Amino acid sequence: MTEIVDILVVDDDAAIRTVVSAALRRAGYAVRAVGTIAAMRTAMAEREPDVLLSDVVLPDGDGLDVVAALAQTHPALPIIVLSAKNTLSTAVRANEVGAFDYLPKPFDLDKLAETVDSALGRGGEPLAAPDLLGDDANPLIGRSPAMQEVYRVIARIVPNDLTVLVTGESGTGKELVARAIHDLGPRRHAPFIALNMAAIPRELIEAELFGHERGAFTGAQARSAGKFEQASGGTLFLDEIGDMPMEAQTRLLRVLQSGEFTTVGGARTIRADVRIVAATNKDLAGRVADGQFREDLFYRLNVVPVALPPLRQRPEDIVLLARHFLDKAAQEGLPRKRIDRDVAPLLERHSWPGNVRELENLMRRAAVLARDEAISAGDLRPMLGEATAAGTPPLAEAAGIAAAVRARLLHLHEHDPRALDDGTLYNRIIAEVERPLIEAMLERNDNNQLRAARALGINRNTLRKRLQSFGML
């Protein structure tokens, strides 16, 4: 470097000050580190830094209030917020008060250095953001690094109208992300309208989206506004966009390009004043390659991608989510329950094919069925399809089905011989085989229930009922 860049770090944790200072000095920066807002003001009076790094919770005040004040008095100063309060609300508020960026603790030191480099290159232009909703309005829960990255992306995109494509497996919370983008953005006082493309018959999709005039088709007795009109001024959430028929894709593309549409059977041009958030559990890029999805529409939708991690990739969030769902169930009138300390390992090793939705259904079921106030691992094992005896693996993990059945019968003979004669043996063993079989076929068919049902040789409604019984819907 030809010039020394001065970085001021404000954090009440001496260990963090030491680690951050050492990392930034290795990157070639001059670093000053203080532990209070008062010390920060003294340091800034002596020499204004090129970049400020500030914690949120400080001994003598709220770091974000300081950031807001500095954004007014020192608009050219790039400020990076560091926080252990890793919620979506914190990320959004950091942007709201004019921070350059937000880094949740614990953060990667290389990422910190990259962010400082970026702040210097940007010249500290603050990011605009909307008014912040309270934490109670935040539907997204998780402190894992994967969810922190989701929060950071959402915080940056809520102030504008960029089109967003949310991807992730079924049950990961794609609609919650869409609602958060709407509820935290400037369109929050206007409607949020959701449309599941997979649930609409192909011949009715265009009428659902754009509306229709009286007499436009058989059964059209009166004019009907479509979702674009219903969502005017707000947000239109197009769920399962990967299932949209090709002919409807063409018309949606024209609307995204021109910002205008006409109703089915109509001639008057209507302005489309909506923000589009689309979601899919499909590999859209793969569907483009297979000719099943328009490439130009894909790029129109994929302006800002938000990838939601499956629950199995964020095990540190599972207990936090489980407690949240138990509180939610109690607020809805179900018995108030808590989870015992032995539950965490069981929940964290489960594969969660139904993701967050499966966990919520499990907690609601446990709130009703668990006899004690504290839900134990013994309560949950049968609900998860695991063996009731500690240390016994699920049937699906055995080397072969025949060997697994024999091993289970032997185990029952040794540990619970009454189970061999109580009339429940057939249903018990079938249930243990059925769930992993269905999970495997859904995975093999990209979570397409219709294809999985055909492969299994059962009706789709039967499959849906079994998924509901397993808490996977």
Side-chain angles (χ1 to χ4, degrees), residues 177-373:
V177 169
R179 287 189 177 274
I181 292 171
H182 173 79
D183 292 342
L184 294 170
R187 292 178 176 265
R188 62 187 176 278
H189 299 301
F192 175 91
I193 301 295
L195 180 64
N196 188 323
M197 309 306 295
I200 307 298
R202 297 173 65 93
E203 63 274 12
L204 296 180
I205 283 184
E206 291 193 37
E208 283 285 337
L209 282 172
F210 309 113
H212 62 78
E213 301 298 323
R214 179 181 179 182
F217 49 83
T218 302
Q221 301 297 323
R223 185 187 188 279
S224 177
K227 302 305 183 187
F228 269 91
E229 281 189 80
Q230 295 173 29
S232 182
T235 301
L236 178 57
F237 174 53
L238 302 177
D239 198 7
E240 303 301 347
I241 193 72
D243 293 317
M244 192 177 201
M246 189 64 74
E247 57 272 19
Q249 292 178 31
T250 301
R251 190 160 182 196
L252 176 60
L253 175 64
R254 287 200 298 268
V255 177
L256 296 182
Q257 289 173 333
S258 67
E260 297 177 339
F261 66 96
T262 58
T263 59
V264 176
R268 181 173 62 90
T269 298
I270 302 173
R271 184 69 183 168
D273 179 20
V274 298
R275 178 179 195 161
I276 297 292
V277 180
T280 183
N281 61 5
K282 304 289 193 305
D283 175 12
L284 280 194
R287 294 178 80 83
V288 169
D290 293 340
Q292 300 177 40
F293 201 85
R294 290 187 62 118
E295 183 177 22
D296 42 8
L297 179 58
F298 171 68
Y299 289 118
R300 281 281 179 177
L301 294 172
N302 197 38
V303 178
V304 180
V306 178
L308 285 181
L311 190 55
R312 62 183 175 274
Q313 292 181 7
R314 40 184 292 221
E316 57 267 67
D317 292 338
I318 293 176
V319 171
L320 189 67
L321 283 162
R323 289 172 177 154
H324 166 74
F325 291 137
L326 287 175
D327 288 342
K328 181 180 175 183
Q331 292 169 9
E332 295 172 355
L334 296 181
R336 181 168 290 279
K337 298 290 175 70
R338 58 182 175 84
I339 54 176
D340 209 348
R341 284 180 293 182
D342 68 342
V343 166
L346 175 66
L347 295 180
E348 290 171 1
R349 74 167 180 259
H350 185 62
S351 62
W352 299 110
N355 289 295
V356 178
R357 186 184 297 130
E358 179 185 358
L359 176 60
E360 180 174 12
N361 290 340
L362 175 69
M363 289 299 103
R364 293 176 65 85
R365 189 158 62 251
V368 174
L369 298 180
R371 295 181 179 180
D372 298 326
E373 179 186 348

Side-chain angles (χ1 to χ4, degrees), residues 141-192:
I141 293 174
R143 297 183 178 179
S144 61
M147 286 306 296
Q148 292 305 310
E149 185 58 32
V150 171
Y151 296 163
R152 292 178 74 244
V153 173
I154 292 175
R156 285 183 170 272
I157 62 179
V158 289
N160 53 60
D161 273 346
L162 293 176
T163 301
V164 180
L165 180 61
V166 187
T167 58
E169 297 177 6
S170 295
T172 49
K174 295 186 288 296
E175 184 167 349
L176 290 181
V177 169
R179 287 189 177 274
I181 292 171
H182 173 79
D183 292 342
L184 294 170
R187 292 178 176 265
R188 62 187 176 278
H189 299 301
F192 175 91

Side-chain angles (χ1 to χ4, degrees), residues 67-68 71 75 77-79 93-101 124-129:
V67 174
L77 174 63
I79 304 173
R93 189 179 171 214
N95 283 281
E96 176 191 32
V97 297
F100 173 78
D101 208 342
E125 178 185 352
L127 298 172

Side-chain angles (χ1 to χ4, degrees), residues 384-452:
L384 289 171
E386 294 207 2
T388 54
T392 304
L395 181 62
E397 293 178 10
I401 293 179
V405 171
R406 294 189 186 97
R408 180 53 49 83
L409 292 176
L410 179 60
H411 174 82
L412 290 173
H413 176 72
E414 294 176 349
H415 296 276
D416 188 14
R418 290 178 299 177
L420 298 176
D421 302 309
D422 64 2
T424 66
L425 183 62
Y426 177 82
N427 289 335
R428 180 183 301 190
I429 297 298
I430 291 299
E432 291 187 41
V433 173
E434 183 181 25
R435 176 169 180 147
L437 173 63
I438 289 176
E439 290 175 359
M441 293 311 297
L442 282 171
E443 182 177 354
R444 182 182 180 87
N445 289 279
D446 297 323
N447 285 316
N448 185 297
Q449 293 177 17
L450 182 59
R451 292 205 305 266

Side-chain angles (χ1 to χ4, degrees), residues 74-91:
H74 298 70
L77 174 63
I79 304 173
I80 299 170
V81 170
L82 313 175
S83 175
K85 189 179 179 182
N86 302 335
T87 66
L88 175 59
S89 294
T90 306

